[in-house]
Amino acid sequence: MTYVISHTTALEVMRARRFCDLLAHRDPRPTLPTRAPGAGEVERWLETSPIARQLSRPVVLPASLIKLDEATSIVSPEPLLLQMARIATPLELAMLVCELCGLYAIQPGGELVQREVPLTSIGQIVEFLTNLGGIPGAPALRRAASATFELSASPQESKLAARVAWDRARGGYAIPILGMNESLEVRRISRRLDEAHVRRPDVILRLPGPGGPGIGLEYNGSDHLSEGRQQQDALRANELLAYNFKPYAIWKDQYQSTSYMDGLMDGVIRSELGLPRHRPS
């Protein structure tokens, strides 16, 4: 008998430390598939999986399953998101897309496991949805994929990006985002001023250029209060400023203050980016 792990159970497996490590490195080990499931395995999955019965047979690809061992497979991230789209709220689904397309996994106690590479990408999700039409969950997942961002490193970063970019009707500031945690090669501030290394701003709104300095946002959670961290943050900020990139730091209390966020986003950031002034209706 072949067992298929799906829905919330599959999500918890994907969040496990060992699963993240194996997928990130693509290790050719017995716990990971060395080939895509064969036609017979896919046919058995089609007969037994509730989600598979919602799909037409030509749509379910072999890559929809990841084989864990000889008797057990797990749905891959894209069909998992389709399953979750049928039971999650729009916000929950958007944050789940951010997580699977991001660099973190949420553990049962709230702890985060950092990933080296995402489990999937928005492009892979869109490609998976291409031929699915209007089957249950597909429209909701399309909307979520169009409103989220890749390479977030924490749930707080995901929420910040959504709040900045989403339109006013969804509680956002309608400010376009270029990317998250993208590598910028800056000059190290040290005795070796010619030595370059990489900094990755949490949210990038504009890169340095003729239009002005680069603009970005940094979310500072409680871990930024730890010993030595503020000194590291100051060095990071100075190196970005020397690169002509302005990183605006946002602390948890500031993020939770609507008046502060309105003042920063509408009063400062929009002006810096040359965007039209927001006029409350």
Side-chain angles (χ1 to χ4, degrees):
M1 179 178 293
T2 299
Y3 299 92
V4 177
I5 301 173
S6 65
H7 294 79
T8 53
T9 305
L11 177 58
E12 292 308 312
V13 172
M14 289 185 188
R15 284 172 165 171
R17 290 178 183 271
R18 185 60 180 148
F19 190 84
C20 294
D21 291 342
L22 289 172
L23 281 189
H25 294 287
R26 304 293 180 184
D27 292 338
R29 301 182 183 179
T31 51
L32 281 180
T34 56
R35 61 176 181 82
E41 293 168 298
V42 174
E43 287 297 321
R44 287 193 294 274
W45 182 66
L46 284 166
E47 297 300 326
T48 59
S49 171
I51 189 65
R53 288 197 291 269
Q54 298 291 333
L55 309 176
S56 61
R57 289 174 183 258
V59 167
V60 181
L61 305 176
S64 295
L65 292 177
I66 298 171
K67 191 173 182 181
L68 299 179
D69 57 34
E70 291 304 315
T72 310
S73 294
I74 184 173
V75 293
S76 58
E78 299 80 25
L80 169 63
L81 286 168
L82 184 62
Q83 293 172 343
M84 300 304 292
R86 301 181 65 182
I87 59 177
T89 67
L91 179 58
E92 290 171 339
L93 183 60
M95 292 300 101
L96 183 55
V97 171
C98 283
E99 179 181 347
L100 297 190
C101 292
L103 303 174
Y104 65 95
I106 303 173
Q107 301 301 286
E111 180 188 1
L112 296 183
V113 171
Q114 297 300 140
R115 298 191 182 111
E116 293 185 14
V117 294
L119 297 186
T120 186
S121 68
I122 292 175
Q124 288 174 279
I125 296 169
V126 171
E127 182 179 2
F128 172 76
L129 291 171
T130 299
N131 298 316
L132 297 192
I135 70 165
L141 183 53
R142 287 191 185 92
R143 290 191 294 271
S146 68
T148 51
F149 305 92
E150 299 175 339
L151 301 182
S152 172
S154 72
Q156 292 78 15
E157 288 184 18
S158 298
K159 293 175 184 177
L160 174 60
R163 188 173 181 182
V164 171
W166 287 2
D167 59 34
R168 301 280 173 174
R170 300 182 69 181
Y173 291 99
I175 296 175
I177 286 178
L178 286 184
M180 301 185 68
N181 292 293
E182 299 284 353
S183 298
L184 301 181
E185 189 174 279
V186 301
R187 292 193 178 276
R188 190 186 301 273
I189 297 180
S190 65
R191 294 180 181 178
R192 293 284 306 278
L193 292 178
D194 59 336
E195 185 179 351
H197 68 144
V198 169
R199 292 296 189 185
R200 297 180 177 87
D202 294 347
V203 178
I204 298 176
L205 303 176
R206 183 177 67 196
L207 292 172
I215 304 291
L217 304 174
E218 299 280 355
Y219 183 89
N220 290 346
S222 58
D223 57 313
H224 287 258
L225 295 172
S226 60
E227 184 177 356
R229 184 62 184 268
Q230 293 185 26
Q231 184 176 350
Q232 295 174 9
D233 288 342
L235 177 59
R236 170 189 173 94
N238 287 341
E239 289 177 345
L240 288 170
L241 287 169
Y243 179 75
N244 198 27
F245 187 97
K246 298 171 67 173
Y248 286 89
I250 300 175
W251 292 83
K252 179 179 179 181
D253 289 345
Q254 295 168 338
Y255 177 83
Q256 293 176 339
S257 169
T258 300
S259 61
Y260 180 86
M261 290 297 291
D262 286 351
L264 178 62
M265 293 296 119
D266 289 331
V268 178
I269 299 297
R270 294 189 72 87
S271 176
E272 288 262 26
L273 295 174
L275 297 175
R277 185 176 181 179
H278 172 61
R279 300 183 181 279
S281 56

